Amino acid sequence: MVNSSVKKTQLSRLAGSKLDQYFTDCFISEDVGYAKPDERFFAPIKHKYTDMSFQNTAMVGDRLQSDILGANQAGLKSIWYNPQQIAVDAPIKPTAVAHSYDQLRELML
């Protein structure tokens, strides 16, 4: 079961980052019914955006074990939001890393 506070938290983070203006849709596990890295999380997104590919899509997230792993498994680029600049020696590798919202904005634009 997906935690019911997830949607509120995620929408608050997005608004606080001032990046919400760049999104037309936001897919949150509470709405989808599955959490990342579960492959089923990406099914409704791929259904809505049939042209979604590694070249034109990036998953942004702050958790390697869910966000970045999920993107990797879905065949998408990933941007790991890592403001603490945590060094990770793990098999899960993001396509890019952003240490601030400004860096994240630059990577996305």
Side-chain angles (χ1 to χ4, degrees), residues 11 14 19-27 45 48-49 108:
L11 292 176
L14 191 59
L19 295 170
D20 54 340
Q21 64 184 318
Y22 299 108
F23 297 92
T24 55
D25 289 304
C26 189
F27 294 87
I45 304 167
K48 183 167 184 175
Y49 297 99
M108 291 175 58

Side-chain angles (χ1 to χ4, degrees), residues 25 27 32 39-52:
D25 289 304
F27 294 87
V32 172
E39 187 176 321
R40 294 173 290 183
F41 172 83
F42 295 92
I45 304 167
K46 289 182 174 184
H47 179 73
K48 183 167 184 175
Y49 297 99
T50 57
D51 64 340
M52 190 169 87

Side-chain angles (χ1 to χ4, degrees), residues 63-84:
R63 297 190 60 213
L64 285 173
Q65 293 291 342
S66 58
D67 303 321
I68 305 309
L69 178 59
N72 292 352
Q73 292 177 165
L76 302 174
K77 287 180 192 170
S78 60
I79 302 173
W80 181 32
Y81 180 63
N82 179 13
Q84 294 84 19

